[in-house]
Amino acid sequence: FEGVPETLEAKREAFEWLNRHCRDDAILTSTTSSILVTQLAALLQQHRPAMARRSRQTRLLHVSPEEVEEALRAQGITIHLQPKVLADTLAPVGVEALARWFRADGGVVPPVTFVRVAEQNGLSDLLFESVLRQSLATVKRLESAGFDLKVSVNVSASSLARVDVVEKILRYALEAEVDTKRLVLEVTETGLVRDLRIALDVLTRLRLHGIELSIDDFGTGYSSICCAACRSPSSRSTARS
């Protein structure tokens, strides 16, 4: 499959072409391996049930605050890692923790849905802490496996305006045995902070502990904390998760 895009659908299309033009005992070769057409067919067939299940998943656009809180406390909302690479060399430099909610009944709740419910019902702190603790545990496992990567975690501006947030972040990092220099906080640019003095103090203390700050969804909203406190952020992100 030299030159074939590394996606299952592309490989399936390639297989269908090969199935029409090659004998079953034909051998497909690459620079690293060889495989019979029949073996490739069996391998692709293994993926069909999983793809079928995913196609049947229902996107749930309405959930209650109680459902969100229950999912957070039961760790039903988990993280998926999105790699970050250097543009010129594609060398990995970190990962971003993206919150995802796949329910036991097969339903999928989009992040925009449960994040909005959390922000509107006082659950932003619980969501941030859940994602943060999972992220720190994951980056510790990556470190143990030999990967020297930073992890980025989204945090709402309102959560950073709490006087105890720095102590919580430091405690969670200590419990996970992760250096705070491996942590990047991406401040969402979608909210206002009532007490800017507390927010400025929090951000200053975070930077003193080596925690990087970034503006997430830059340009998509307005946030006093981002405009006043992140005049020199470590980075800016325009991708929406």
Side-chain angles (χ1 to χ4, degrees):
F1 285 111
E2 295 300 318
V4 177
E6 289 296 323
T7 66
L8 184 59
E9 284 304 316
K11 290 181 179 179
R12 189 184 305 284
E13 292 175 6
F15 165 70
E16 291 173 353
W17 184 92
L18 290 168
N19 195 38
R20 291 193 301 269
H21 295 83
C22 300
R23 303 194 317 253
D24 286 347
D25 59 350
I27 299 177
L28 309 178
T29 62
S30 70
T31 56
T32 57
S33 62
S34 300
I35 186 172
L36 288 169
V37 170
T38 51
Q39 292 174 322
L40 178 60
L43 182 62
L44 289 173
Q45 186 64 33
Q46 294 176 6
H47 291 275
R48 291 184 184 273
M51 294 183 67
R53 286 195 301 271
R54 175 160 293 188
S55 67
R56 293 196 299 267
Q57 289 177 333
T58 303
R59 289 172 61 86
L60 304 177
L61 302 181
H62 302 285
V63 291
S64 68
E66 292 76 19
E67 289 177 299
V68 174
E69 182 174 5
E70 181 181 355
L72 287 171
R73 298 194 183 282
Q75 295 188 341
I77 296 178
T78 58
I79 64 169
H80 288 223
L81 301 182
Q82 176 175 280
K84 291 187 173 185
V85 300
L86 295 177
D88 53 348
T89 64
L90 297 183
V93 294
V95 293
E96 180 177 1
L98 304 177
R100 294 293 183 262
W101 187 1
F102 298 95
R103 297 182 15 154
D105 60 6
V108 179
V109 184
V112 66
T113 298
F114 65 78
V115 170
R116 181 178 65 249
V117 172
E119 290 179 344
Q120 294 175 350
N121 295 274
L123 298 172
S124 294
D125 294 342
L126 186 60
L127 174 60
F128 168 60
E129 291 176 19
S130 175
V131 172
L132 176 62
R133 300 187 79 163
Q134 292 181 63
S135 301
L136 290 171
T138 299
V139 81
K140 179 61 179 179
R141 290 196 295 270
L142 289 172
E143 180 183 352
S144 300
F147 296 97
D148 184 17
L149 301 173
K150 295 182 179 181
V151 61
S152 300
V153 178
N154 290 328
V155 56
S156 69
S158 59
S159 292
L160 288 183
R162 298 178 60 90
V163 294
D164 62 342
V165 67
V166 176
E167 286 71 21
K168 283 188 175 181
I169 293 173
L170 296 179
R171 185 174 75 251
Y172 294 154
L174 181 62
E175 291 173 352
E177 299 180 338
V178 173
D179 191 332
T180 52
K181 293 181 180 179
R182 292 184 179 273
L183 180 61
V184 181
L185 295 181
E186 296 195 355
V187 187
T188 56
E189 201 202 0
T190 56
L192 295 173
V193 175
R194 294 181 179 180
D195 196 329
L196 189 57
R197 291 174 300 176
I198 295 179
L200 288 170
D201 176 67
V202 165
L203 291 172
T204 300
R205 291 164 62 196
L206 290 173
R207 292 298 293 269
L208 288 175
H209 285 284
I211 297 174
E212 293 186 22
L213 302 173
S214 171
I215 300 177
D216 189 42
D217 297 340
F218 181 70
T220 62
Y222 174 83
S223 172
S224 56
I225 192 172
C226 292
C227 293
C230 294
R231 294 188 179 94
S232 300
S234 304
S235 62
R236 293 174 177 176
S237 170
T238 57
R240 304 210 57 177
S241 58

